[in-house]
């Protein structure tokens, strides 16, 4: 069912509960490491769900001063733009590219891609992140933390501050969340997956 229809029929249920239900109903467990959610986040995108995701990140980071959202193409763009819309700040998406001729107007970081098993360079034009900016990093999935750490390094290269990291689906059995928190970042994950065993999704939190 399309999210809007379900949305209209929930009575008093938490909207995050519905995000979990969506993961259960539509998530495809490709292996015990990889979850595919191409019906609402990774290919087809559900704008009503993404709008609520943006609202929820805005609520969670309400106490933080923020003037930029930074994400990474392509699946981070939908949750990123909806969060930026709520916050009324610009959103920047880092571009992925394989190899690069040296340029001095971009920040570049190497990021190992969990899903593609290759190292990409991610880039952001220097003019879009300035010293003193307070940047909220948003991404669709968190696995080993490579993408989030790469984005954080770009923010720090710019002399700006990472105000927080918002993740739609954290795979809590992989170390990214712990490593980011140990590095001092505030991480907010909307859904935490404990395991993807036997083709089934199990959540970490019982709420
Ligand atoms: P990390 O960099 O934390 O190791 O992995 C996160 C990045 O890899 C995200 O940007 C996401 O696009 C991709 N990714 C990692 N695990 C999954 C997964 O299980 N499913 C999907 N669809 N993407 C994933």
């Amino acid at each position: 069912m399309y999210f809007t229809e379900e949305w209209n029929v929930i009575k008093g249920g938490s909207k995050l509960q519905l995000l979990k239900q969506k993961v259960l109903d539509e998530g495809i467990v490709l292996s015990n490491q990889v979850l595919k959610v191409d019906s609402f986040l990774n290919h087809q995108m559900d704008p009503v769900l993404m709008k609520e995701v943006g609202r929820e990140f805005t609520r969670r980071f309400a106490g933080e001063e923020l003037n930029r959202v930074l994400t990474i193409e392509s699946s981070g763009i939908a949750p990123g733009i909806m969060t930026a819309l709520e916050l009324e700040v610009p959103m920047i998406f880092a571009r992925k590219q394989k190899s690069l001729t040296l340029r001095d107007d971009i920040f570049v970081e190497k990021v190992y891609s969990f899903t593609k098993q290759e190292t990409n360079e991610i880039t952001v034009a220097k003019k879009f992140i300035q010293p003193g900016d307070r940047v909220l990093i948003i991404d669709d999935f968190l696995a080993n933390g490579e993408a989030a750490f790469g984005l954080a390094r770009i923010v720090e290269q710019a002399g700006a501050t990472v105000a927080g990291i918002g993740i739609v689906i954290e795979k809590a059995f992989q170390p990214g969340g712990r490593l980011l928190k140990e590095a001092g970042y505030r991480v907010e994950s909307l859904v935490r997956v404990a395991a993807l065993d036997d083709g089934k999704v199990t959540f970490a939190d019982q709420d």
Side-chain angles (χ1 to χ4, degrees):
M1 199 194 287
Y2 186 65
F3 198 75
T4 320
E5 295 161 37
E6 290 169 283
W7 208 252
N8 292 335
V9 298
I10 338 176
K11 293 194 182 72
S14 121
K15 291 174 178 177
L16 284 185
Q17 202 58 44
L18 197 49
L19 174 56
K20 281 185 174 175
Q21 197 59 47
K22 194 97 170 152
V23 170
L24 284 179
D25 293 345
E26 298 179 24
I28 300 162
V29 177
L30 289 184
S31 69
N32 60 5
Q33 303 288 305
V34 179
L35 175 66
K36 183 167 153 183
V37 287
D38 64 351
S39 67
F40 62 92
L41 183 57
N42 294 143
H43 190 14
Q44 173 170 264
M45 290 177 174
D46 185 326
V48 179
L49 175 59
M50 289 306 120
K51 185 172 164 190
E52 291 305 326
V53 162
R55 284 194 175 148
E56 181 62 18
F57 283 136
T58 301
R59 192 184 67 73
R60 293 194 187 199
F61 289 103
E64 307 284 344
E65 208 185 306
L66 299 163
N67 71 336
R68 289 280 181 284
V69 170
L70 176 64
T71 188
I72 183 164
E73 66 179 358
S74 53
S75 294
I77 292 177
I81 193 68
M82 295 318 251
T83 307
L85 176 64
E86 276 297 312
L87 291 166
E88 297 188 355
V89 300
M91 185 211 75
I92 305 129
F93 65 89
R95 296 178 182 277
K96 293 176 187 163
Q97 38 204 118
K98 275 229 181 68
S99 70
L100 211 64
T101 46
L102 271 184
R103 283 173 49 186
D104 59 10
D105 57 346
I106 51 176
F107 298 116
V108 182
E109 285 290 339
K110 284 194 174 6
V111 166
Y112 182 76
S113 163
F114 178 81
T115 42
K116 302 213 169 79
Q117 311 234 317
E118 63 185 23
T119 299
N120 288 303
E121 284 181 331
I122 63 166
T123 68
V124 172
K126 287 186 178 170
K127 62 183 173 186
F128 294 132
I129 307 183
Q130 301 289 325
D133 281 344
R134 295 192 50 87
V135 182
L136 176 61
I137 292 173
I138 298 286
D139 205 4
D140 60 336
F141 271 89
L142 177 60
N144 294 323
E146 284 277 324
F149 271 113
L151 292 170
R153 286 194 301 271
I154 284 184
V155 171
E156 286 152 9
Q157 271 196 60
T161 302
V162 176
I165 300 176
I167 300 292
V168 182
I169 302 173
E170 174 183 346
K171 290 179 292 175
F173 57 91
Q174 289 165 333
R178 177 177 56 77
L179 295 174
L180 289 166
K181 285 176 196 153
E182 281 172 7
Y185 298 113
R186 177 174 169 202
V187 182
E188 291 286 340
S189 303
L190 302 189
V191 164
R192 298 180 73 243
V193 171
L196 294 173
D197 295 333
D198 305 320
K200 276 203 339 261
V201 179
T202 316
F203 294 115
D205 315 301
Q206 292 310 307
D207 56 348

